[in-house]
Amino acid sequence: MKHAHFGRVETSALDGTDVVWESTSRLGDDEVEVRLWAGPSDQPDTEELDALAARLFDLPALDTTARTALRAYLREDRSFIDHHIEEIEDSETVVRLVRDAAGEEVGADSFAAAMRLSGIGLWLSGVSDGSPVILDYVFDPDLSDQILAVKLTRDGTVVSVDWES
């Protein structure tokens, strides 16, 4: 199939789940890896690909939605923040956040603002777990491999935030 944004999307030769298209997008000063995933039985249609492409066309708005979910997640459970403050205490970003907190706990808002979008996974319906758009956020990726994955529907509604590594 040929798509206006993704170009030729071929899934028939796949043995398992794999990337069928990849590119990068810009978000501010950051370059973000974008991958479209499919399985061998997936036969994408134009409507599904259009919906996934639409998420990329307004990446700043999608990032805003995801960051709102990140802040709510971090306010409810500080484990991700505390893990990073304790494990990578020499990180320049951690040092700055602790200093700016002025003796208080590092807040969810400032921590979420320091996180960077590192990748976007777009999953065709045959291989997605109900969340075809997944935004991976990292904190100081040179020092930590921990991710907060914000999972969204095709229309951009947040389904969950999950801690992954």
Side-chain angles (χ1 to χ4, degrees), residues 127-139:
V127 293
S128 77
D129 64 355
S131 303
V133 180
I134 302 175
L135 282 68
D136 290 337
Y137 286 86
V138 295
F139 181 85

Side-chain angles (χ1 to χ4, degrees), residues 11 13 19 37 45 52 59 66 71 87 90 94-95 115 117-118 129-130 138 142 156 161:
T11 62
V19 175
W37 293 83
D45 61 30
L52 293 173
L59 193 49
R71 287 189 299 273
E87 294 296 319
D90 294 334
V94 168
V95 169
M115 295 185 77
L117 178 60
S118 67
D129 64 355
V138 295
D142 293 333
V161 176

Side-chain angles (χ1 to χ4, degrees), residues 18-31:
D18 205 350
V19 175
V20 295
W21 177 88
E22 60 187 315
S23 185
T24 58
S25 287
R26 296 222 47 94
L27 181 63
D29 293 335
D30 295 330
E31 189 170 75

Side-chain angles (χ1 to χ4, degrees), residues 1 3 42-51 124-125 154:
M1 155 177 246
H3 185 264
D42 290 326
Q43 295 301 318
D45 61 30
T46 301
E47 180 183 328
E48 181 177 21
L49 292 172
D50 286 349
L124 293 177
S125 58
R154 282 197 305 183

